[in-house]
Amino acid sequence: MKRADVKRRTAEGVMFDTQIMANPANTAEWIVFFKKDAGRSFFLVDAAEQVESFASLDELVIELRAVGIKRLEVQL
């Protein structure tokens, strides 16, 4: 799911079960996983539909706040 979609849906009142986890391809980076009802789940992706990864957990939290995420879980 792209940032704009997350921002739009959170503005509409949609609540996501948001998780931050280590990127399996590079454990020095973080990725975002959104779970939604009915078993649907999404990764945060860029404009090219590639899963986004972040080197800094602090920067990632700032990004998620900007799109309306208020609650998340970090998996180490």
Side-chain angles (χ1 to χ4, degrees), residues 5-57:
D5 296 327
V6 175
K7 189 171 187 172
R8 178 183 49 80
R9 293 183 75 186
T10 56
E12 293 170 352
V14 174
M15 299 292 292
F16 293 102
D17 179 11
T18 307
Q19 298 178 355
I20 299 173
M21 61 189 74
N23 182 352
N26 180 352
T27 57
E29 296 178 343
W30 300 94
I31 57 174
V32 181
F33 187 68
F34 301 105
K35 289 184 187 175
K36 188 66 183 100
D37 55 0
R40 297 184 70 193
S41 56
F42 310 91
F43 286 103
L44 182 63
V45 298
D46 61 18
E49 298 289 330
Q50 297 297 313
V51 175
E52 286 201 60
S53 60
F54 299 82
S56 167
L57 190 55

Side-chain angles (χ1 to χ4, degrees), residues 44 59-60 72:
L44 182 63
E59 290 176 17
L60 176 51
L72 59 89

